[in-house]
Amino acid sequence: MEFSIKVAGPEKQKTACAVVGVFDTRKLSDAAKAIDQASGSHLSAVLKHGDLDGKLGATLLLHKVPNVACERVLLVGLGKAGEFHDKQYRDAVRAAVKAVNETGAAEAMLYLTELPVRRHDAAWKVEQAVVVARDALYRFDQLKSKQDAARPLRRLSLNLAGRGDLKAGELGLGRGKAIAEAMQLAKDLGNMPGNICTPSHLADQARKLGKRHGLAVQVLERADMEKLGMGSFLSVAKGSRQPPKFIVMQHKGGNKKDKPVVLVGKGITFDAGGISLKPAGEMDEMKYDMSGAASVLATMQAAAELKLPLNVVALIPTCENLPDGAANKPGDIVTSMSGQTIEVLNTDAEGRLILCDALTYAERFEPAAVVDVATLTGACVIALGHVATGLLANNDALAHELLRAGETAYDRAWQMPLWDDYQEQLKSNFADMANIGGRPGGTITAAAFLSRFAEKYHWAHLDIAGTAWRSGKDKGSTGRPVPLLVHFLLGRAGG
Ligand code: BES
Ligand code: MN
Ligand code: ZN
């Protein structure tokens, strides 16, 4: 899909479809008014018949509207004018793009981008329109033997209220495209099944990205990791026939001596639970257990695409977690790269076992901050549902930075406490710590475990178990938290 921005009245624009909003009840937006006036009150007449009253997300397609240059007019319900905020704006854009895509139009002009949205400028509106449009049209059908026929919709112009908005619009367009493209990569990787998306596949993808976008990529093999003493990570990989990989990617956009931001992504390409085997129902979803890795990889692409003047390092420990004669057993004690020993009481708490060694490895970069991203706990899905990403941090300024980035990106996180009191749940009779802390506060004790490996720098942890994918009949990868991470980096890069 191609996007562009424009400033032009809707009644005079030659386009296959002009998309204009209608507030509840039957209140025309400015663009709708312009068409209404040019057409001799055609829209008012249609609305009077009761075909659309302006409920959020409702759509009505009109052909042959008199005296206007467009072939079709799509009316989109915006809900109550006083309640038209960020969520409503996104919902309206999504409904509009889906409806346009069902028509035969190859191109359309979206006038929703000129509507005022509380606390947001044209840059935000354009960015969100691009991200939401691309998300609405996303499909993963590359593994079906016959793809659905491609829809004709190819170009979308986003209309701005005035020429004064053009500069902001351009900024938003660039960001929106980079974020949407990165989200698509994250979704594709998340949706790819475990028999194709293996640790080696992720490493190949990283190398490809590196070549295409000028990122430095290094892949550590099992022997390298043995030398480094990554006993915790390697203990998880033991149960699999797929070789583990440790991917290191670098975007060198800053000065040589600038301390980098380090992003760490959990890359379990399939999580069966290991010897602590998961129940069979919905186990297929555990192919998404590399969504942290996918979002970090995708964010690196966006950082390169946006040429962020910043040094960013991505660390991705990746392997499978399967039951096997060689796999970790409950009670096994492993030695992490940090030297701390861990009693593996539950082999299904494997994410923290691979992340802890990556966190220790991160020390060598003398990071400005480290953010790990992981589908870490089912408890997080219970606590926050599929709406907010769980956020825990050993530094409040960093936590706030991430919370704010999530607000701006409309990819929000919610902070949970990382108090020392929770550490007690990780006590082990036989090792320095256990890898589980029981059912109470499962998301927090997982983060408490990780915090023991992140003492040397500012660190935050994003638990994306609930937000990285949708379950149910529309199940699939969401591409989150790519928007949050990109905005976090944009903030670090000075805006
Ligand atoms: N990958 C899972 C977490 C998960 C569960 C993500 C459900 C999305 C949906 C993780 O490796 C895991 O199995 N965690 C366990 C930890 C427990 C054994 C302490 C969990 O959450 O049940
Ligand atoms: Mn697990
Ligand atoms: Zn897992």
Side-chain angles (χ1 to χ4, degrees):
M1 177 86 97
E2 267 173 56
F3 294 90
S4 57
I5 52 178
K6 261 214 164 108
V7 181
E11 69 286 4
K12 295 186 215 84
Q13 278 304 304
K14 274 221 170 67
T15 172
C17 186
V19 181
V20 298
V22 178
F23 290 105
D24 196 6
T25 316
R26 297 188 284 279
K27 201 167 144 267
L28 301 178
S29 62
D30 289 349
K33 263 184 215 150
I35 291 182
D36 192 47
Q37 274 160 17
S39 66
S41 303
H42 185 80
L43 301 194
S44 300
V46 169
L47 294 181
K48 236 183 240 140
H49 281 113
D51 288 32
L52 182 111
D53 47 19
K55 291 265 179 309
L56 182 62
T59 57
L60 179 65
L61 184 67
L62 306 177
H63 288 272
K64 299 200 175 118
V65 175
N67 304 322
V68 293
C70 49
E71 292 163 26
R72 308 170 182 78
V73 173
L74 181 76
L75 301 180
V76 183
L78 304 174
K80 296 274 181 229
E83 293 164 13
F84 190 71
H85 305 318
D86 44 12
K87 177 185 188 300
Q88 290 75 11
Y89 173 75
R90 286 170 53 101
D91 288 352
V93 170
R94 185 178 299 275
V97 169
K98 285 197 160 155
V100 175
N101 194 48
E102 293 302 314
T103 72
E107 129 312 302
M109 286 201 68
L110 192 68
Y111 286 87
L112 305 182
T113 28
E114 59 177 51
L115 297 164
V117 180
R118 187 180 57 172
R119 285 205 288 268
H120 292 298
D121 63 357
W124 185 88
K125 285 186 282 182
V126 169
E127 175 191 313
Q128 291 288 322
V130 173
V131 168
V132 170
R134 288 276 306 264
D135 188 59
L137 302 181
Y138 175 82
R139 276 184 312 213
F140 185 79
D141 58 6
Q142 47 183 288
L143 298 177
K144 298 195 180 193
S145 60
K146 285 190 207 74
Q147 272 84 39
D148 299 342
R151 283 268 147 206
L153 181 61
R154 287 242 278 290
R155 268 170 298 127
L156 204 57
S157 321
L158 309 174
N159 210 77
L160 302 176
R163 304 201 65 81
D165 280 345
L166 274 173
K167 214 172 145 214
E170 286 294 348
L171 186 74
L173 188 64
R175 290 179 178 180
K177 286 201 268 193
I179 292 172
E181 193 66 22
M183 286 175 83
Q184 168 158 334
L185 172 63
K187 285 182 228 176
D188 282 348
L189 288 172
N191 288 330
M192 202 69 85
N195 62 329
I196 298 175
C197 185
T198 58
S200 303
H201 178 81
L202 281 183
D204 290 344
Q205 291 297 311
R207 288 192 195 97
K208 234 198 241 164
L209 262 190
K211 283 217 187 78
R212 205 170 333 122
H213 294 274
L215 300 157
V217 177
Q218 189 192 1
V219 178
L220 306 187
E221 304 293 337
R222 194 195 302 268
D224 305 313
M225 296 184 261
E226 276 165 1
K227 267 187 220 131
L228 287 163
M230 293 185 168
S232 184
F233 173 26
L234 289 174
S235 78
V236 177
K238 272 190 316 180
S240 159
R241 301 186 193 189
Q242 292 290 336
K245 306 278 171 180
F246 190 93
I247 304 167
V248 183
M249 298 174 84
Q250 287 179 269
H251 165 72
K252 297 172 180 168
N255 293 318
K256 228 186 172 126
K257 56 180 191 328
D258 292 351
K259 293 185 166 183
V261 170
V262 177
L263 304 175
V264 180
K266 171 178 172 183
I268 296 290
T269 58
F270 190 76
D271 180 11
I275 297 297
S276 313
L277 191 63
K278 287 183 182 296
E282 281 146 39
M283 204 206 268
D284 64 294
E285 297 196 350
M286 282 302 126
K287 69 176 179 178
Y288 301 107
D289 212 19
M290 34 55 69
S291 295
S295 64
V296 165
L297 220 80
T299 300
M300 293 303 279
Q301 172 182 300
E305 185 72 36
L306 292 167
K307 298 192 169 54
L308 296 184
L310 195 71
N311 295 329
V312 189
V313 178
L315 302 179
I316 297 173
T318 171
C319 69
E320 296 179 317
N321 186 28
L322 298 177
D324 181 84
N328 267 337
K329 302 173 292 297
D332 283 2
I333 294 178
V334 300
T335 304
S336 66
M337 184 179 171
S338 73
Q340 299 177 90
T341 60
I342 304 161
E343 187 184 11
V344 182
L345 289 178
N346 189 319
T347 66
D348 199 9
E350 85 297 340
R352 59 199 83 180
L353 294 177
I354 74 169
L355 290 169
C356 67
D357 283 340
L359 290 174
T360 301
Y361 189 83
E363 287 172 9
R364 67 185 54 205
F365 296 98
E366 294 178 38
V370 177
V371 180
D372 80 70
V373 189
T375 46
L376 204 62
T377 63
C380 195
V381 189
I382 302 304
L384 299 174
H386 299 284
V387 176
T389 291
L391 165 66
L392 299 103
N394 66 8
N395 176 272
D396 257 338
L398 177 60
H400 279 115
E401 230 180 304
L402 288 159
L403 288 171
R404 239 182 300 121
E407 294 279 349
T408 311
Y410 205 83
D411 178 11
R412 292 170 296 179
W414 192 257
Q415 192 175 5
M416 297 187 200
L418 191 64
W419 297 325
D420 278 344
D421 310 57
Y422 291 99
Q423 293 290 352
E424 289 173 28
Q425 287 174 241
L426 295 173
K427 276 198 178 131
S428 157
N429 284 353
F430 307 110
D432 296 344
M433 70 193 89
N435 77 328
I436 53 169
R439 281 172 47 89
T443 301
I444 302 175
T445 52
F449 176 96
L450 294 177
S451 74
R452 297 179 179 216
F453 302 84
E455 285 178 347
K456 301 218 169 95
Y457 43 70
H458 292 170
W459 159 79
H461 161 64
L462 295 170
D463 193 329
I464 57 168
T467 50
W469 74 81
R470 254 184 318 272
S471 302
K473 90 171 176 16
D474 286 329
K475 70 176 156 194
S477 182
T478 62
R480 291 179 69 185
V482 168
L484 181 158
L485 291 172
V486 173
H487 274 277
F488 168 65
L489 295 181
L490 278 168
R492 287 255 156 172

